[in-house]
Amino acid sequence: MPEPITLVSHALCPYVQRIAIALFEKRIAHERVSIDLANKPDWFLAMSPFGRTPVLRVGEHALFESSAILEFLEETQPGPLHPSDPAERALHRAWMNFGTETLNDIAGFYSAPDSAGLELKAAALHARFRLIEGRLGHGPWFAGDRFSLVDAVFAPVFRYFDTFDAISPFGAFDGLSRVPLWRARLAGRPSVRAAVDPDYGDRLSAFLRRRGGALARLMDASPLLDGKYALAGHP
């Protein structure tokens, strides 16, 4: 009998979404347990040395850090999401790291204290998307016809912009064609849609307001974000 698998998650964590997408794509039966990172239970801290999600419990083992978890799933489960060629596989891992760095820029964007910082981070995001635009082929996915872990990494990146776009046009995708199309295709992928709860948009909107920076002030002035978040059910 296979060992039971539990994904310990947080509702907004993009790194959790990577794992959820991979589990869905590989059709791995699992349980999902969400925690409050502002009030971390002792049992979670005993599993996660960094005190952050995701954690994947596999039998008696508690695996932490999303990159390590994704590699574990590749090594132990059917339905590979990495290419078989070693050089291509190494390139995919590098682009996954690029996705992680993009998430760092996103955190800097929504944490910017003033409009100048917001514009600077929006420009940095545009530069990142422009770089990956030059790497993309004709799709539909990062590597063509086959969905890969690079797709799983970038889907949560693009999901942030469903909320950002409802606040103001920040120009992150200006002049690009392939990246927006990739983003739209990922948004419709069943594994991507299932990676978050239906109230994800509301939760993210509330989180951004609590940051209290330049983006939060724009949200307070945006008619698109009055009352219930308009895109709450959007992937």
mmCIF file of all heavy atoms in Angstrom, residues 2-9 16 19-20 23 28-35 41-49 52-66 68-70 72-73 76-77:
data_model
loop_
_atom_site.group_PDB
_atom_site.id
_atom_site.type_symbol
_atom_site.label_atom_id
_atom_site.label_comp_id
_atom_site.label_asym_id
_atom_site.label_seq_id
_atom_site.Cartn_x
_atom_site.Cartn_y
_atom_site.Cartn_z
ATOM 1 N N PRO A 2 0.581 2.251 -0.847
ATOM 2 C CA PRO A 2 1.382 3.473 -0.867
ATOM 3 C C PRO A 2 1.321 4.209 0.470
ATOM 4 O O PRO A 2 0.314 4.153 1.192
ATOM 5 C CB PRO A 2 0.725 4.308 -1.972
ATOM 6 C CG PRO A 2 -0.082 3.341 -2.770
ATOM 7 C CD PRO A 2 -0.490 2.259 -1.840
ATOM 8 N N GLU A 3 2.410 4.891 0.801
ATOM 9 C CA GLU A 3 2.426 5.675 2.033
ATOM 10 C C GLU A 3 1.479 6.871 1.891
ATOM 11 O O GLU A 3 1.399 7.490 0.822
ATOM 12 C CB GLU A 3 3.839 6.177 2.321
ATOM 13 C CG GLU A 3 4.836 5.085 2.666
ATOM 14 C CD GLU A 3 6.192 5.653 3.028
ATOM 15 O OE1 GLU A 3 6.823 6.250 2.145
ATOM 16 O OE2 GLU A 3 6.605 5.509 4.186
ATOM 17 N N PRO A 4 0.748 7.219 2.960
ATOM 18 C CA PRO A 4 -0.154 8.371 2.879
ATOM 19 C C PRO A 4 0.636 9.665 2.683
ATOM 20 O O PRO A 4 1.718 9.843 3.254
ATOM 21 C CB PRO A 4 -0.877 8.350 4.228
ATOM 22 C CG PRO A 4 0.018 7.575 5.137
ATOM 23 C CD PRO A 4 0.712 6.565 4.276
ATOM 24 N N ILE A 5 0.089 10.555 1.885
ATOM 25 C CA ILE A 5 0.745 11.830 1.576
ATOM 26 C C ILE A 5 -0.165 12.974 2.008
ATOM 27 O O ILE A 5 -1.356 12.987 1.700
ATOM 28 C CB ILE A 5 1.057 11.939 0.073
ATOM 29 C CG1 ILE A 5 2.099 10.880 -0.330
ATOM 30 C CG2 ILE A 5 1.542 13.338 -0.285
ATOM 31 C CD1 ILE A 5 2.410 10.858 -1.810
ATOM 32 N N THR A 6 0.414 13.928 2.736
ATOM 33 C CA THR A 6 -0.317 15.108 3.180
ATOM 34 C C THR A 6 0.469 16.350 2.801
ATOM 35 O O THR A 6 1.667 16.455 3.109
ATOM 36 C CB THR A 6 -0.543 15.096 4.703
ATOM 37 O OG1 THR A 6 -1.275 13.931 5.064
ATOM 38 C CG2 THR A 6 -1.315 16.331 5.149
ATOM 39 N N LEU A 7 -0.188 17.284 2.151
ATOM 40 C CA LEU A 7 0.411 18.574 1.825
ATOM 41 C C LEU A 7 -0.017 19.586 2.882
ATOM 42 O O LEU A 7 -1.202 19.893 3.020
ATOM 43 C CB LEU A 7 -0.043 19.037 0.438
ATOM 44 C CG LEU A 7 0.393 20.445 0.006
ATOM 45 C CD1 LEU A 7 1.908 20.575 -0.008
ATOM 46 C CD2 LEU A 7 -0.206 20.788 -1.358
ATOM 47 N N VAL A 8 0.944 20.073 3.641
ATOM 48 C CA VAL A 8 0.683 21.107 4.642
ATOM 49 C C VAL A 8 0.867 22.458 3.949
ATOM 50 O O VAL A 8 1.944 22.756 3.418
ATOM 51 C CB VAL A 8 1.621 20.974 5.850
ATOM 52 C CG1 VAL A 8 1.269 22.017 6.914
ATOM 53 C CG2 VAL A 8 1.543 19.571 6.445
ATOM 54 N N SER A 9 -0.177 23.251 3.946
ATOM 55 C CA SER A 9 -0.193 24.424 3.078
ATOM 56 C C SER A 9 -0.670 25.677 3.797
ATOM 57 O O SER A 9 -1.127 25.631 4.942
ATOM 58 C CB SER A 9 -1.093 24.141 1.868
ATOM 59 O OG SER A 9 -2.452 24.085 2.267
ATOM 60 N N VAL A 16 3.435 26.517 -2.187
ATOM 61 C CA VAL A 16 2.468 25.437 -2.001
ATOM 62 C C VAL A 16 1.767 25.128 -3.313
ATOM 63 O O VAL A 16 1.550 23.963 -3.659
ATOM 64 C CB VAL A 16 1.441 25.809 -0.912
ATOM 65 C CG1 VAL A 16 0.235 24.870 -0.951
ATOM 66 C CG2 VAL A 16 2.076 25.784 0.466
ATOM 67 N N ILE A 19 3.487 22.672 -5.569
ATOM 68 C CA ILE A 19 3.358 21.272 -5.163
ATOM 69 C C ILE A 19 1.965 20.758 -5.481
ATOM 70 O O ILE A 19 1.795 19.635 -5.976
ATOM 71 C CB ILE A 19 3.658 21.100 -3.659
ATOM 72 C CG1 ILE A 19 4.971 21.788 -3.284
ATOM 73 C CG2 ILE A 19 3.685 19.626 -3.290
ATOM 74 C CD1 ILE A 19 6.173 21.345 -4.087
ATOM 75 N N ALA A 20 0.948 21.571 -5.197
ATOM 76 C CA ALA A 20 -0.431 21.163 -5.483
ATOM 77 C C ALA A 20 -0.612 20.880 -6.973
ATOM 78 O O ALA A 20 -1.286 19.908 -7.355
ATOM 79 C CB ALA A 20 -1.407 22.250 -5.020
ATOM 80 N N LEU A 23 1.159 17.535 -7.809
ATOM 81 C CA LEU A 23 0.387 16.399 -7.300
ATOM 82 C C LEU A 23 -0.819 16.122 -8.196
ATOM 83 O O LEU A 23 -1.146 14.968 -8.487
ATOM 84 C CB LEU A 23 -0.066 16.680 -5.862
ATOM 85 C CG LEU A 23 1.021 16.696 -4.789
ATOM 86 C CD1 LEU A 23 0.479 17.277 -3.485
ATOM 87 C CD2 LEU A 23 1.564 15.288 -4.542
ATOM 88 N N ILE A 28 -1.668 12.091 -7.922
ATOM 89 C CA ILE A 28 -1.249 11.492 -6.661
ATOM 90 C C ILE A 28 -2.313 11.771 -5.598
ATOM 91 O O ILE A 28 -2.616 12.940 -5.295
ATOM 92 C CB ILE A 28 0.106 12.068 -6.202
ATOM 93 C CG1 ILE A 28 1.185 11.773 -7.258
ATOM 94 C CG2 ILE A 28 0.510 11.478 -4.860
ATOM 95 C CD1 ILE A 28 2.493 12.497 -6.995
ATOM 96 N N ALA A 29 -2.871 10.730 -5.034
ATOM 97 C CA ALA A 29 -3.855 10.890 -3.959
ATOM 98 C C ALA A 29 -3.165 11.497 -2.735
ATOM 99 O O ALA A 29 -2.077 11.061 -2.340
ATOM 100 C CB ALA A 29 -4.474 9.543 -3.614
ATOM 101 N N HIS A 30 -3.800 12.495 -2.150
ATOM 102 C CA HIS A 30 -3.196 13.140 -0.991
ATOM 103 C C HIS A 30 -4.264 13.904 -0.208
ATOM 104 O O HIS A 30 -5.355 14.181 -0.719
ATOM 105 C CB HIS A 30 -2.091 14.108 -1.424
ATOM 106 C CG HIS A 30 -2.589 15.263 -2.245
ATOM 107 N ND1 HIS A 30 -2.918 15.147 -3.585
ATOM 108 C CD2 HIS A 30 -2.832 16.566 -1.911
ATOM 109 C CE1 HIS A 30 -3.321 16.315 -4.040
ATOM 110 N NE2 HIS A 30 -3.294 17.189 -3.051
ATOM 111 N N GLU A 31 -3.908 14.247 1.010
ATOM 112 C CA GLU A 31 -4.730 15.107 1.851
ATOM 113 C C GLU A 31 -4.057 16.473 1.906
ATOM 114 O O GLU A 31 -2.829 16.578 1.794
ATOM 115 C CB GLU A 31 -4.849 14.521 3.255
ATOM 116 C CG GLU A 31 -5.684 15.341 4.220
ATOM 117 C CD GLU A 31 -5.664 14.781 5.632
ATOM 118 O OE1 GLU A 31 -4.922 13.809 5.885
ATOM 119 O OE2 GLU A 31 -6.374 15.339 6.487
ATOM 120 N N ARG A 32 -4.852 17.507 2.056
ATOM 121 C CA ARG A 32 -4.289 18.856 2.172
ATOM 122 C C ARG A 32 -4.755 19.490 3.475
ATOM 123 O O ARG A 32 -5.958 19.505 3.776
ATOM 124 C CB ARG A 32 -4.709 19.708 0.980
ATOM 125 C CG ARG A 32 -4.029 21.059 0.910
ATOM 126 C CD ARG A 32 -4.142 21.625 -0.483
ATOM 127 N NE ARG A 32 -3.645 22.997 -0.560
ATOM 128 C CZ ARG A 32 -3.560 23.693 -1.683
ATOM 129 N NH1 ARG A 32 -3.938 23.134 -2.831
ATOM 130 N NH2 ARG A 32 -3.103 24.930 -1.687
ATOM 131 N N VAL A 33 -3.803 19.987 4.246
ATOM 132 C CA VAL A 33 -4.086 20.608 5.534
ATOM 133 C C VAL A 33 -3.525 22.021 5.511
ATOM 134 O O VAL A 33 -2.341 22.223 5.218
ATOM 135 C CB VAL A 33 -3.452 19.806 6.689
ATOM 136 C CG1 VAL A 33 -3.644 20.537 8.010
ATOM 137 C CG2 VAL A 33 -4.035 18.408 6.755
ATOM 138 N N SER A 34 -4.362 23.008 5.804
ATOM 139 C CA SER A 34 -3.920 24.403 5.802
ATOM 140 C C SER A 34 -3.657 24.881 7.219
ATOM 141 O O SER A 34 -4.357 24.494 8.166
ATOM 142 C CB SER A 34 -4.969 25.303 5.147
ATOM 143 O OG SER A 34 -5.071 25.021 3.765
ATOM 144 N N ILE A 35 -2.641 25.728 7.360
ATOM 145 C CA ILE A 35 -2.313 26.304 8.666
ATOM 146 C C ILE A 35 -2.287 27.826 8.559
ATOM 147 O O ILE A 35 -2.226 28.382 7.461
ATOM 148 C CB ILE A 35 -0.961 25.792 9.194
ATOM 149 C CG1 ILE A 35 0.178 26.256 8.274
ATOM 150 C CG2 ILE A 35 -0.963 24.286 9.347
ATOM 151 C CD1 ILE A 35 1.538 26.169 8.927
ATOM 152 N N PRO A 41 1.271 26.160 14.484
ATOM 153 C CA PRO A 41 1.162 25.131 15.519
ATOM 154 C C PRO A 41 2.511 24.467 15.775
ATOM 155 O O PRO A 41 3.386 24.412 14.903
ATOM 156 C CB PRO A 41 0.162 24.134 14.917
ATOM 157 C CG PRO A 41 0.183 24.383 13.451
ATOM 158 C CD PRO A 41 0.548 25.811 13.251
ATOM 159 N N ASP A 42 2.673 23.947 16.980
ATOM 160 C CA ASP A 42 3.941 23.328 17.366
ATOM 161 C C ASP A 42 4.282 22.146 16.469
ATOM 162 O O ASP A 42 5.454 21.937 16.130
ATOM 163 C CB ASP A 42 3.889 22.884 18.829
ATOM 164 C CG ASP A 42 3.870 24.061 19.795
ATOM 165 O OD1 ASP A 42 4.267 25.171 19.380
ATOM 166 O OD2 ASP A 42 3.438 23.880 20.948
ATOM 167 N N TRP A 43 3.264 21.364 16.074
ATOM 168 C CA TRP A 43 3.547 20.195 15.246
ATOM 169 C C TRP A 43 4.117 20.594 13.895
ATOM 170 O O TRP A 43 4.945 19.876 13.318
ATOM 171 C CB TRP A 43 2.300 19.325 15.063
ATOM 172 C CG TRP A 43 1.130 19.993 14.384
ATOM 173 C CD1 TRP A 43 0.049 20.576 14.978
ATOM 174 C CD2 TRP A 43 0.943 20.153 12.967
ATOM 175 N NE1 TRP A 43 -0.803 21.085 14.037
ATOM 176 C CE2 TRP A 43 -0.295 20.842 12.790
ATOM 177 C CE3 TRP A 43 1.673 19.784 11.840
ATOM 178 C CZ2 TRP A 43 -0.792 21.164 11.533
ATOM 179 C CZ3 TRP A 43 1.176 20.111 10.583
ATOM 180 C CH2 TRP A 43 -0.040 20.782 10.430
ATOM 181 N N PHE A 44 3.709 21.792 13.406
ATOM 182 C CA PHE A 44 4.240 22.267 12.141
ATOM 183 C C PHE A 44 5.688 22.726 12.301
ATOM 184 O O PHE A 44 6.553 22.410 11.468
ATOM 185 C CB PHE A 44 3.379 23.406 11.608
ATOM 186 C CG PHE A 44 3.974 24.111 10.422
ATOM 187 C CD1 PHE A 44 4.025 23.492 9.190
ATOM 188 C CD2 PHE A 44 4.514 25.387 10.552
ATOM 189 C CE1 PHE A 44 4.585 24.126 8.084
ATOM 190 C CE2 PHE A 44 5.075 26.022 9.459
ATOM 191 C CZ PHE A 44 5.109 25.384 8.224
ATOM 192 N N LEU A 45 5.985 23.453 13.360
ATOM 193 C CA LEU A 45 7.348 23.926 13.599
ATOM 194 C C LEU A 45 8.317 22.767 13.792
ATOM 195 O O LEU A 45 9.495 22.872 13.449
ATOM 196 C CB LEU A 45 7.367 24.848 14.815
ATOM 197 C CG LEU A 45 6.654 26.190 14.625
ATOM 198 C CD1 LEU A 45 6.566 26.943 15.938
ATOM 199 C CD2 LEU A 45 7.352 27.027 13.567
ATOM 200 N N ALA A 46 7.815 21.654 14.299
ATOM 201 C CA ALA A 46 8.664 20.474 14.450
ATOM 202 C C ALA A 46 9.025 19.864 13.101
ATOM 203 O O ALA A 46 10.040 19.174 12.972
ATOM 204 C CB ALA A 46 7.963 19.433 15.323
ATOM 205 N N MET A 47 8.217 20.132 12.079
ATOM 206 C CA MET A 47 8.452 19.579 10.745
ATOM 207 C C MET A 47 9.257 20.513 9.854
ATOM 208 O O MET A 47 10.006 20.062 8.983
ATOM 209 C CB MET A 47 7.113 19.338 10.029
ATOM 210 C CG MET A 47 6.261 18.267 10.594
ATOM 211 S SD MET A 47 4.775 18.206 9.559
ATOM 212 C CE MET A 47 3.960 16.809 10.312
ATOM 213 N N SER A 48 9.064 21.806 10.006
ATOM 214 C CA SER A 48 9.622 22.792 9.086
ATOM 215 C C SER A 48 10.666 23.645 9.787
ATOM 216 O O SER A 48 10.316 24.566 10.531
ATOM 217 C CB SER A 48 8.502 23.683 8.535
ATOM 218 O OG SER A 48 9.030 24.675 7.695
ATOM 219 N N PRO A 49 11.941 23.374 9.574
ATOM 220 C CA PRO A 49 12.987 24.149 10.249
ATOM 221 C C PRO A 49 12.916 25.650 9.965
ATOM 222 O O PRO A 49 13.296 26.454 10.814
ATOM 223 C CB PRO A 49 14.282 23.549 9.688
ATOM 224 C CG PRO A 49 13.925 22.172 9.256
ATOM 225 C CD PRO A 49 12.501 22.273 8.773
ATOM 226 N N ARG A 52 8.059 27.586 7.412
ATOM 227 C CA ARG A 52 7.268 28.046 6.273
ATOM 228 C C ARG A 52 6.740 26.860 5.473
ATOM 229 O O ARG A 52 7.274 25.750 5.556
ATOM 230 C CB ARG A 52 8.095 28.974 5.376
ATOM 231 C CG ARG A 52 9.349 28.369 4.804
ATOM 232 C CD ARG A 52 10.259 29.448 4.229
ATOM 233 N NE ARG A 52 11.453 28.896 3.629
ATOM 234 C CZ ARG A 52 12.622 29.535 3.574
ATOM 235 N NH1 ARG A 52 12.744 30.739 4.097
ATOM 236 N NH2 ARG A 52 13.680 28.973 2.999
ATOM 237 N N THR A 53 5.708 27.128 4.711
ATOM 238 C CA THR A 53 5.104 26.120 3.847
ATOM 239 C C THR A 53 5.768 26.192 2.476
ATOM 240 O O THR A 53 6.344 27.225 2.115
ATOM 241 C CB THR A 53 3.595 26.377 3.719
ATOM 242 O OG1 THR A 53 3.375 27.732 3.314
ATOM 243 C CG2 THR A 53 2.890 26.108 5.035
ATOM 244 N N PRO A 54 5.688 25.062 1.729
ATOM 245 C CA PRO A 54 4.968 23.810 2.000
ATOM 246 C C PRO A 54 5.810 22.816 2.799
ATOM 247 O O PRO A 54 7.032 22.892 2.832
ATOM 248 C CB PRO A 54 4.716 23.256 0.595
ATOM 249 C CG PRO A 54 5.937 23.712 -0.172
ATOM 250 C CD PRO A 54 6.262 25.071 0.367
ATOM 251 N N VAL A 55 5.087 21.876 3.398
ATOM 252 C CA VAL A 55 5.678 20.651 3.926
ATOM 253 C C VAL A 55 4.883 19.494 3.330
ATOM 254 O O VAL A 55 3.656 19.562 3.254
ATOM 255 C CB VAL A 55 5.632 20.600 5.467
ATOM 256 C CG1 VAL A 55 6.015 19.218 5.978
ATOM 257 C CG2 VAL A 55 6.543 21.663 6.067
ATOM 258 N N LEU A 56 5.579 18.469 2.897
ATOM 259 C CA LEU A 56 4.915 17.274 2.377
ATOM 260 C C LEU A 56 5.227 16.122 3.318
ATOM 261 O O LEU A 56 6.385 15.719 3.469
ATOM 262 C CB LEU A 56 5.398 16.946 0.959
ATOM 263 C CG LEU A 56 4.538 15.923 0.204
ATOM 264 C CD1 LEU A 56 3.210 16.563 -0.219
ATOM 265 C CD2 LEU A 56 5.271 15.384 -1.025
ATOM 266 N N ARG A 57 4.181 15.624 3.974
ATOM 267 C CA ARG A 57 4.345 14.449 4.829
ATOM 268 C C ARG A 57 4.129 13.205 3.990
ATOM 269 O O ARG A 57 3.088 13.028 3.375
ATOM 270 C CB ARG A 57 3.339 14.486 5.987
ATOM 271 C CG ARG A 57 3.605 15.589 6.988
ATOM 272 C CD ARG A 57 2.811 15.420 8.262
ATOM 273 N NE ARG A 57 1.378 15.369 8.047
ATOM 274 C CZ ARG A 57 0.474 15.691 8.952
ATOM 275 N NH1 ARG A 57 0.846 16.085 10.153
ATOM 276 N NH2 ARG A 57 -0.813 15.624 8.684
ATOM 277 N N VAL A 58 5.131 12.371 3.969
ATOM 278 C CA VAL A 58 5.074 11.112 3.224
ATOM 279 C C VAL A 58 5.375 10.000 4.222
ATOM 280 O O VAL A 58 6.526 9.784 4.602
ATOM 281 C CB VAL A 58 6.081 11.082 2.064
ATOM 282 C CG1 VAL A 58 5.922 9.788 1.267
ATOM 283 C CG2 VAL A 58 5.905 12.288 1.159
ATOM 284 N N GLY A 59 4.327 9.322 4.671
ATOM 285 C CA GLY A 59 4.531 8.331 5.721
ATOM 286 C C GLY A 59 5.084 9.000 6.964
ATOM 287 O O GLY A 59 4.502 9.948 7.494
ATOM 288 N N GLU A 60 6.260 8.557 7.407
ATOM 289 C CA GLU A 60 6.895 9.105 8.601
ATOM 290 C C GLU A 60 7.823 10.278 8.282
ATOM 291 O O GLU A 60 8.399 10.873 9.193
ATOM 292 C CB GLU A 60 7.699 8.005 9.313
ATOM 293 C CG GLU A 60 6.845 6.856 9.807
ATOM 294 C CD GLU A 60 5.792 7.306 10.800
ATOM 295 O OE1 GLU A 60 6.130 8.104 11.711
ATOM 296 O OE2 GLU A 60 4.628 6.885 10.662
ATOM 297 N N HIS A 61 7.976 10.605 7.015
ATOM 298 C CA HIS A 61 8.905 11.667 6.616
ATOM 299 C C HIS A 61 8.174 12.985 6.434
ATOM 300 O O HIS A 61 7.050 13.025 5.925
ATOM 301 C CB HIS A 61 9.623 11.291 5.321
ATOM 302 C CG HIS A 61 10.430 10.036 5.405
ATOM 303 N ND1 HIS A 61 11.640 9.974 6.052
ATOM 304 C CD2 HIS A 61 10.197 8.789 4.932
ATOM 305 C CE1 HIS A 61 12.128 8.748 5.964
ATOM 306 N NE2 HIS A 61 11.264 8.002 5.299
ATOM 307 N N ALA A 62 8.833 14.074 6.807
ATOM 308 C CA ALA A 62 8.320 15.421 6.587
ATOM 309 C C ALA A 62 9.316 16.152 5.700
ATOM 310 O O ALA A 62 10.426 16.483 6.139
ATOM 311 C CB ALA A 62 8.122 16.151 7.904
ATOM 312 N N LEU A 63 8.952 16.395 4.446
ATOM 313 C CA LEU A 63 9.829 17.042 3.478
ATOM 314 C C LEU A 63 9.495 18.527 3.413
ATOM 315 O O LEU A 63 8.325 18.897 3.385
ATOM 316 C CB LEU A 63 9.653 16.408 2.100
ATOM 317 C CG LEU A 63 9.713 14.875 2.049
ATOM 318 C CD1 LEU A 63 9.480 14.388 0.631
ATOM 319 C CD2 LEU A 63 11.049 14.360 2.579
ATOM 320 N N PHE A 64 10.516 19.361 3.396
ATOM 321 C CA PHE A 64 10.287 20.804 3.342
ATOM 322 C C PHE A 64 11.114 21.422 2.225
ATOM 323 O O PHE A 64 12.059 20.807 1.716
ATOM 324 C CB PHE A 64 10.616 21.462 4.687
ATOM 325 C CG PHE A 64 12.037 21.274 5.152
ATOM 326 C CD1 PHE A 64 13.000 22.247 4.914
ATOM 327 C CD2 PHE A 64 12.412 20.119 5.834
ATOM 328 C CE1 PHE A 64 14.308 22.076 5.341
ATOM 329 C CE2 PHE A 64 13.715 19.941 6.268
ATOM 330 C CZ PHE A 64 14.673 20.925 6.016
ATOM 331 N N GLU A 65 10.731 22.633 1.827
ATOM 332 C CA GLU A 65 11.287 23.389 0.704
ATOM 333 C C GLU A 65 10.745 22.848 -0.621
ATOM 334 O O GLU A 65 10.904 21.685 -0.957
ATOM 335 C CB GLU A 65 12.808 23.420 0.708
ATOM 336 C CG GLU A 65 13.395 24.235 1.847
ATOM 337 C CD GLU A 65 12.944 25.702 1.812
ATOM 338 O OE1 GLU A 65 13.415 26.480 0.960
ATOM 339 O OE2 GLU A 65 12.089 26.057 2.641
ATOM 340 N N SER A 66 10.105 23.736 -1.371
ATOM 341 C CA SER A 66 9.356 23.311 -2.556
ATOM 342 C C SER A 66 10.231 22.654 -3.617
ATOM 343 O O SER A 66 9.809 21.687 -4.260
ATOM 344 C CB SER A 66 8.603 24.499 -3.165
ATOM 345 O OG SER A 66 9.496 25.472 -3.687
ATOM 346 N N ALA A 68 12.952 20.874 -3.224
ATOM 347 C CA ALA A 68 13.278 19.511 -2.798
ATOM 348 C C ALA A 68 12.061 18.596 -2.936
ATOM 349 O O ALA A 68 12.182 17.430 -3.339
ATOM 350 C CB ALA A 68 13.780 19.519 -1.359
ATOM 351 N N ILE A 69 10.885 19.118 -2.608
ATOM 352 C CA ILE A 69 9.663 18.321 -2.711
ATOM 353 C C ILE A 69 9.367 17.970 -4.169
ATOM 354 O O ILE A 69 9.022 16.824 -4.495
ATOM 355 C CB ILE A 69 8.479 19.064 -2.069
ATOM 356 C CG1 ILE A 69 8.697 19.217 -0.566
ATOM 357 C CG2 ILE A 69 7.166 18.336 -2.350
ATOM 358 C CD1 ILE A 69 7.715 20.152 0.114
ATOM 359 N N LEU A 70 9.513 18.943 -5.054
ATOM 360 C CA LEU A 70 9.256 18.676 -6.476
ATOM 361 C C LEU A 70 10.217 17.616 -7.020
ATOM 362 O O LEU A 70 9.812 16.733 -7.776
ATOM 363 C CB LEU A 70 9.383 19.964 -7.287
ATOM 364 C CG LEU A 70 8.265 20.987 -7.097
ATOM 365 C CD1 LEU A 70 8.600 22.279 -7.824
ATOM 366 C CD2 LEU A 70 6.915 20.444 -7.558
ATOM 367 N N PHE A 72 11.656 15.259 -5.264
ATOM 368 C CA PHE A 72 11.237 13.991 -4.667
ATOM 369 C C PHE A 72 10.091 13.374 -5.462
ATOM 370 O O PHE A 72 10.102 12.182 -5.770
ATOM 371 C CB PHE A 72 10.818 14.205 -3.208
ATOM 372 C CG PHE A 72 10.103 13.026 -2.611
ATOM 373 C CD1 PHE A 72 10.794 11.925 -2.146
ATOM 374 C CD2 PHE A 72 8.708 13.014 -2.535
ATOM 375 C CE1 PHE A 72 10.138 10.823 -1.613
ATOM 376 C CE2 PHE A 72 8.037 11.919 -2.001
ATOM 377 C CZ PHE A 72 8.764 10.825 -1.536
ATOM 378 N N LEU A 73 9.110 14.194 -5.805
ATOM 379 C CA LEU A 73 7.972 13.688 -6.573
ATOM 380 C C LEU A 73 8.422 13.191 -7.946
ATOM 381 O O LEU A 73 7.910 12.181 -8.444
ATOM 382 C CB LEU A 73 6.914 14.772 -6.717
ATOM 383 C CG LEU A 73 6.210 15.192 -5.416
ATOM 384 C CD1 LEU A 73 5.271 16.371 -5.669
ATOM 385 C CD2 LEU A 73 5.455 14.031 -4.792
ATOM 386 N N THR A 76 10.142 9.724 -7.449
ATOM 387 C CA THR A 76 9.407 8.608 -6.839
ATOM 388 C C THR A 76 8.044 8.338 -7.465
ATOM 389 O O THR A 76 7.465 7.275 -7.208
ATOM 390 C CB THR A 76 9.183 8.868 -5.336
ATOM 391 O OG1 THR A 76 8.371 10.048 -5.169
ATOM 392 C CG2 THR A 76 10.511 9.054 -4.608
ATOM 393 N N GLN A 77 7.526 9.258 -8.273
ATOM 394 C CA GLN A 77 6.160 9.121 -8.761
ATOM 395 C C GLN A 77 6.135 9.068 -10.295
ATOM 396 O O GLN A 77 6.979 9.678 -10.957
ATOM 397 C CB GLN A 77 5.299 10.297 -8.279
ATOM 398 C CG GLN A 77 5.254 10.452 -6.774
ATOM 399 C CD GLN A 77 4.568 9.283 -6.076
ATOM 400 O OE1 GLN A 77 3.622 8.710 -6.612
ATOM 401 N NE2 GLN A 77 5.024 8.945 -4.879
#
